[in-house]
Amino acid sequence: MSKSIRIPAPDPSDTSPAVTHVPGTSGPSRALVAGVALGAAALGLAACGPAGAGVAYVTSPAVSASSPSASAVAGGRYTKIVAMSGLQVSPPTTSATSEHLGLTWAQAATAFAATSAVQGSHAQAILGYGLVTLSGSTLPGGTSPLDRRGAWVGITWGGTTSCPAAAVPPAGSSTSRASYHQIFTAVVIYGQGGDGAIVYTSRGTPSCGGPQTGPTVTAAREVLSVPWQQTTQLHNGSVRVSYQAPSCATLFSTASSGNMGVGKYILTVEVTEPFDRASCPTTTHTTSIRLFPSPVPPGAPAVPSHTTLGHGPTGPVSVLQTGRIAGGP
């Protein structure tokens, strides 16, 4: 049974380091510094054209960007520029604001950990508020361009994956390291109140080997435990329940925990829904939940004539398995 947890637009006055180049784009640096009316002799350059007509332009050095790391976030914000293929996150203007887009860091962490795309074990996870620029990828329908847009950005990478024996490179193989490129999964929550989010997966080598894949961009989906109502009596170890969810929701899992001898069980129904689900009308769904095997295994206690069903917690469900999410205030 899954464990449930309760865990502004870019500022016009932004003075954070200028981005001089975004992967996949071309053109002059934003941080172009003109040395106007400087003499060629003063710059140590040969004069070009008539005397006094030359204007020398000096571009600032490119702002260095690095791969995601635990040191890239602190106090609820990005403190250095990180880059993953065509996605780049820059530090925001100020660290004074404890809430962005109507979400605190803890609330953004709840949404990040409940995103279906980060399900499973990960060695590292970070979260902070930053300015996002995305290039070279097609955005899901309805998503506005991301060009230094303020967003909560959670990133995961690493972890343990079970791979078929044939897919594991031989020990000492040169291909095991030379051609390997880490894949990063980023959840970008850009909507007010967390109502809009995408998942960006960087280009890299699959954990079990093979040719590089990505990058990919998809609409993010959140895992939620929803209320249910029993609609049938216990039959062959199962009951049928109904639940209310948006029409665009997908059943993620059902779970039961309890004691067959006592006849008491806790049931949960979990679905995935788009972060921006306001346009999806709520509809009634039904599903079956198995309480115990049927027929009852030999030696198992007799099934009580009356079974009591309880309701598990509702709300966002954490599917991210990691030691901790770095970057909190």
XYZ file of all heavy atoms in Angstrom, residues 1-6 223-228 255 257 266-271 310-318:
210
model
N 0.841 -1.201 0.000
C 0.000 0.000 0.000
C 0.872 1.245 0.000
O 1.815 1.376 0.772
C -0.894 0.004 1.232
C -1.719 1.270 1.403
S -2.857 1.108 2.769
C -3.398 2.778 2.952
N 0.612 2.134 -0.946
C 1.441 3.330 -1.054
C 1.261 4.223 0.156
O 0.188 4.313 0.723
C 1.064 4.114 -2.316
O 1.279 3.338 -3.444
N 2.312 4.867 0.515
C 2.265 5.785 1.645
C 1.862 7.167 1.163
O 2.473 7.713 0.264
C 3.638 5.834 2.315
C 3.671 6.765 3.525
C 5.067 6.814 4.114
C 5.126 7.771 5.295
N 6.489 7.847 5.856
N 0.830 7.722 1.736
C 0.360 9.042 1.342
C 0.982 10.102 2.233
O 1.133 9.896 3.433
C -1.167 9.101 1.449
O -1.632 10.368 1.133
N 1.403 11.201 1.649
C 2.008 12.270 2.428
C 1.267 13.569 2.209
O 0.587 13.757 1.219
C 3.483 12.469 2.064
C 3.583 12.919 0.582
C 4.318 11.249 2.301
C 4.958 13.353 0.209
N 1.375 14.445 3.238
C 0.830 15.793 3.094
C 2.022 16.759 3.005
O 2.593 17.179 3.976
C -0.043 16.131 4.284
C -1.289 15.235 4.348
C -2.308 15.579 3.312
N -3.482 14.763 3.383
C -4.420 14.738 2.472
N -4.317 15.471 1.403
N -5.486 13.975 2.621
N -0.260 11.642 -8.876
C -0.907 10.468 -8.286
C -1.689 10.911 -7.051
O -1.131 11.520 -6.136
C 0.127 9.395 -7.898
C -0.585 8.172 -7.320
C 0.966 8.988 -9.105
N -2.987 10.617 -7.050
C -3.862 11.021 -5.950
C -4.659 9.826 -5.447
O -5.126 8.994 -6.229
C -4.843 12.107 -6.419
C -4.255 13.430 -6.896
C -5.344 14.270 -7.545
C -3.628 14.183 -5.741
N -4.826 9.758 -4.123
C -5.743 8.797 -3.528
C -7.102 9.485 -3.417
O -7.203 10.599 -2.886
C -5.243 8.386 -2.142
O -6.187 7.549 -1.504
N -8.145 8.844 -3.951
C -9.463 9.488 -4.030
C -10.492 8.732 -3.182
O -10.338 7.534 -2.912
C -9.942 9.549 -5.497
C -9.014 10.425 -6.327
C -10.039 8.154 -6.112
N -11.542 9.436 -2.755
C -12.602 8.775 -1.977
C -13.318 7.723 -2.817
O -13.450 7.860 -4.042
C -13.549 9.930 -1.620
C -12.732 11.171 -1.772
C -11.778 10.889 -2.882
N -13.805 6.671 -2.180
C -14.540 5.624 -2.869
C -15.767 5.229 -2.039
O -15.852 5.525 -0.851
C -13.656 4.393 -3.107
C -13.001 3.863 -1.863
C -11.746 4.114 -1.413
C -13.604 2.992 -0.885
N -11.517 3.474 -0.230
C -12.629 2.772 0.123
C -14.851 2.390 -0.760
C -12.873 1.975 1.241
C -15.101 1.589 0.354
C -14.121 1.390 1.330
N -5.403 -0.839 -3.498
C -4.684 -1.559 -2.448
C -5.618 -1.879 -1.307
O -6.581 -1.146 -1.045
C -3.498 -0.729 -1.941
N -5.338 -3.599 2.832
C -4.515 -4.142 3.909
C -5.436 -4.442 5.079
O -6.366 -3.682 5.361
C -3.432 -3.147 4.331
O -4.005 -1.957 4.831
N -8.467 -1.929 5.162
C -8.356 -0.537 4.722
C -8.108 -0.558 3.217
O -7.172 -1.215 2.747
C -7.186 0.195 5.428
C -7.407 0.208 6.938
C -7.054 1.620 4.889
C -8.626 0.987 7.377
N -8.946 0.149 2.478
C -8.851 0.152 1.017
C -8.477 1.545 0.505
O -8.909 2.563 1.064
C -10.177 -0.266 0.388
C -10.839 -1.560 0.886
C -12.095 -1.850 0.069
C -9.865 -2.726 0.809
N -7.694 1.578 -0.562
C -7.374 2.844 -1.232
C -7.521 2.674 -2.734
O -7.281 1.590 -3.286
C -5.938 3.312 -0.929
O -5.009 2.308 -1.366
C -5.745 3.574 0.546
N -7.918 3.766 -3.381
C -7.989 3.840 -4.840
C -7.134 5.023 -5.266
O -7.369 6.157 -4.827
C -9.437 4.029 -5.331
C -9.463 4.217 -6.847
C -10.307 2.841 -4.925
N -6.132 4.770 -6.096
C -5.230 5.816 -6.546
C -5.347 6.000 -8.049
O -5.424 5.027 -8.805
C -3.783 5.467 -6.172
C -3.569 5.347 -4.662
C -2.218 4.774 -4.300
O -1.454 4.426 -5.228
O -1.918 4.665 -3.102
N -5.376 7.266 -8.473
C -5.479 7.600 -9.888
C -4.372 8.588 -10.245
O -3.759 9.201 -9.373
C -6.856 8.225 -10.228
C -7.991 7.277 -9.880
C -7.033 9.563 -9.510
N -12.589 -0.030 5.783
C -12.237 1.339 6.140
C -11.601 2.063 4.963
O -11.207 1.450 3.963
N -11.503 3.383 5.106
C -10.987 4.219 4.023
C -9.577 4.680 4.334
O -9.290 5.164 5.431
C -11.892 5.446 3.832
C -11.921 5.948 2.431
N -10.803 6.417 1.779
C -12.942 6.041 1.540
C -11.128 6.784 0.557
N -12.423 6.562 0.380
N -8.680 4.509 3.361
C -7.315 5.000 3.520
C -7.258 6.502 3.337
O -8.238 7.140 2.933
N -6.108 7.138 3.631
C -5.954 8.587 3.464
C -6.156 8.987 2.001
O -5.881 8.215 1.080
C -4.511 8.849 3.910
C -4.142 7.663 4.745
C -4.894 6.511 4.182
N -6.650 10.206 1.797
C -6.827 10.724 0.437
C -5.866 11.891 0.214
O -5.333 12.475 1.150
C -8.268 11.193 0.198
O -8.589 12.231 1.138
C -9.250 10.041 0.356
N -5.665 12.224 -1.078
C -4.775 13.322 -1.432
C -3.561 12.831 -2.195
O -3.500 11.665 -2.625
N -2.554 13.706 -2.394
C -1.358 13.322 -3.143
C -0.645 12.137 -2.504
O -0.542 12.036 -1.285
C -0.485 14.588 -3.083
C -1.454 15.702 -2.852
C -2.537 15.132 -1.998
N -0.154 11.255 -3.346
C 0.540 10.052 -2.889
C 2.003 10.127 -3.326
O 2.295 10.301 -4.515
C -0.107 8.775 -3.466
C 0.654 7.530 -3.034
C -1.567 8.686 -3.052
N 2.919 9.984 -2.394
C 4.327 10.017 -2.733
C 4.743 8.723 -3.421
O 4.648 7.644 -2.838
C 5.184 10.223 -1.472
O 6.550 10.193 -1.790
